[in-house]
Amino acid sequence: MTTKTRAFESPGKYFQGPGEMQHLEAYTADYGKTVYAVTTPSFVDRVRRTLVPEFEKADRALICEKFGGQTDMEELKRLTVAAEAAGAEAVVGIGGGKALDAAKYVGIQLTLPIVMVPTIVSTDAPTSALSATYTAAGEHAGSIYYKRNPDVIVVDSQVIVDAPARFFAYGMGDALSTYFEAKAHVDHDVKNRVGDGYQTTLAAMALSELCYTTLMAKGVKAYQDVVAHRLTQDVEDIIEVNTLLSGIGVESAGCAAAHALNSGFSALSECQDASHGEIVAFGTLCELVLEDWPRKTIHQVMDFNLAVGLPVTLADIGLSSDDKARLMRVAQKAFTTKHIAAVPKATAPEVLIEAILQADRLGRSMRTRLDQ
């Protein structure tokens, strides 16, 4: 019998619950006296008011650095230089996905412990061993992959519920792709993201499937609860889906067509107003069409997207189906990513374009029926 080495990776520790942000000092107690926090601008005052005093009581320092808003290389290098000058012994990211990605970059460059404190759950950035980079103009410039995941993730579920509900939906859009992309890797025997030649573990595949089944069972109700600012068990479950389950699925399996298309669509100026989760949600529909998934599954995903305000058509992410030149640019960009290796049928950009157009037609048809 010939077998392959299987591999699994994940963050070191994960804490989730209401009020958990206030325990940041305790969760970083083993990481030295000086902690450098890359903080989204909207949370700077709160961090200085509520968290800095907790560190001072413990005779430690929490240095709160305002994130510049974009993970372009100039900003990433600025933060790294500032953290080193401050004598940082650990790096914390507090904010959305880009602030967290910036903190990961700093921690990796300085070989320091990395702690993630998301204030929204719009992506699985807290879990991942990468930083998505962008140009100053907002075009996706590629991802920097690391050999380790964050050491600790601290998710304050009350903070998540207090954020605008659209971010919660965006996270579900990102998580929506996890199972299908992981399955593409397994079904087509593509190496996983842990390293060269490694096979995806049963654990990673099971968590990826749990990600999808939990979204379908609880996602719509959880979204409604967040809209009403209610912290419920369904909300807690979907927070875990958006961060931990989706993140492990990506880390220990990988991405496929949905994220390849995200790279393509985000390269267009028309899509700059669409979030990562929105683009991935539509990209997931394109992947299902491309891989000839049963129409029942495609309709289930479309129903879900419509119920939580996620895209089902090209127009929803700012594009027209008539602009074939723009779609060709999307497809060609998608084919430059490593994710395309997990796609079984996209043998040419033209095939990918046809899948995009078919998904768009199905989405428009479903929306028309609902409007009648």
Side-chain angles (χ1 to χ4, degrees):
M1 177 181 293
T2 301
T3 64
K4 295 181 180 179
T5 299
R6 56 187 70 189
F8 179 92
E9 67 181 24
S10 67
K13 293 183 180 180
Y14 180 89
F15 302 94
Q16 176 189 317
E20 283 301 314
M21 184 183 292
Q22 205 58 36
H23 300 150
L24 181 62
E25 192 281 322
Y27 290 140
T28 62
D30 294 335
Y31 297 150
K33 288 278 191 179
T34 305
V35 176
Y36 184 85
V38 178
T39 309
T40 194
S42 62
F43 261 73
V44 168
D45 289 343
R46 177 170 177 170
V47 169
R48 289 174 176 163
R49 184 180 69 254
T50 64
L51 298 184
V52 169
E54 293 300 314
F55 278 76
E56 291 175 344
K57 288 178 187 176
D59 193 27
R60 302 175 69 213
L62 179 66
I63 299 170
C64 183
E65 179 72 29
K66 184 184 293 187
F67 173 56
Q70 191 58 273
T71 52
D72 60 278
M73 292 309 301
E74 183 177 351
E75 172 67 359
L76 296 178
K77 291 175 181 177
R78 178 190 75 82
L79 293 168
T80 303
V81 170
E84 186 172 28
E89 296 171 271
V91 179
V92 176
I94 302 175
K98 290 184 178 181
L100 302 188
D101 278 357
K104 279 182 282 185
Y105 179 90
V106 175
I108 291 293
Q109 298 307 308
L110 300 181
T111 321
L112 297 175
I114 299 169
V115 180
M116 299 280 94
V117 186
T119 57
I120 54 177
V121 289
S122 58
T123 70
D124 51 28
T127 312
S128 68
L130 66 84
S131 293
T133 65
Y134 292 81
T135 66
E139 181 177 340
H140 186 242
S143 295
I144 304 172
Y145 293 89
Y146 308 128
K147 294 185 181 299
R148 64 184 176 100
N149 299 83
D151 297 276
V152 180
I153 299 172
V154 181
V155 188
D156 190 322
S157 47
Q158 187 60 56
V159 169
I160 303 307
V161 169
D162 290 341
R166 68 179 183 277
F167 294 119
F168 191 81
Y170 298 163
M172 290 193 290
D174 192 25
L176 189 61
S177 69
T178 304
Y179 168 62
F180 302 111
E181 293 188 297
K183 196 170 189 306
H185 275 260
V186 171
D187 288 352
H188 307 109
D189 197 25
V190 177
K191 67 181 182 181
N192 70 16
R193 198 135 101 206
V194 181
D196 290 342
Y198 292 139
Q199 189 174 38
T200 298
T201 62
L202 295 176
M205 197 62 229
L207 291 175
S208 297
E209 186 169 10
L210 181 62
C211 185
Y212 179 68
T213 57
T214 306
L215 280 175
M216 294 301 103
K218 301 183 177 184
V220 174
K221 178 60 167 60
Y223 174 72
Q224 294 168 347
D225 288 337
V226 172
V227 169
H229 294 287
R230 293 190 299 262
L231 180 55
T232 64
Q233 192 60 52
D234 286 343
V235 172
E236 293 279 16
D237 287 347
I238 298 301
I239 290 173
E240 183 179 342
V241 162
N242 287 8
T243 51
L244 186 63
L245 298 185
S246 177
I248 289 177
V250 172
E251 291 301 290
S252 292
C255 298
H259 276 79
L261 284 169
N262 172 69
S263 294
F265 285 124
S266 70
L268 302 183
S269 59
E270 296 94 325
C271 298
Q272 294 299 305
D273 291 335
S275 70
H276 174 80
E278 289 175 301
I279 293 175
V280 172
F282 180 68
T284 299
L285 291 172
C286 298
E287 177 165 345
L288 295 177
V289 171
L290 180 68
E291 296 185 5
D292 291 329
W293 276 78
R295 191 58 59 92
K296 179 180 178 181
T297 302
I298 296 173
H299 284 169
Q300 183 181 41
V301 170
M302 283 189 172
D303 285 341
F304 175 81
N305 284 7
L306 289 167
V308 299
L310 290 170
V312 296
T313 68
L314 282 166
D316 291 338
I317 59 172
L319 288 177
S320 167
S321 59
D322 295 329
D323 195 338
K324 301 300 190 297
R326 304 298 275 170
L327 293 181
M328 177 56 74
R329 184 178 170 188
V330 169
Q332 289 175 337
K333 176 80 171 182
F335 266 77
T336 68
T337 70
K338 63 174 63 177
H339 309 321
I340 208 71
V343 179
K345 296 186 178 181
T347 54
E350 290 79 8
V351 178
L352 195 52
I353 290 172
E354 182 51 42
I356 293 169
L357 292 173
Q358 188 175 341
D360 176 66
R361 287 193 292 269
L362 289 170
R364 285 188 282 122
S365 176
M366 178 169 285
R367 181 165 276 146
T368 298
R369 288 199 299 273
L370 292 175
D371 290 343
Q372 289 177 345

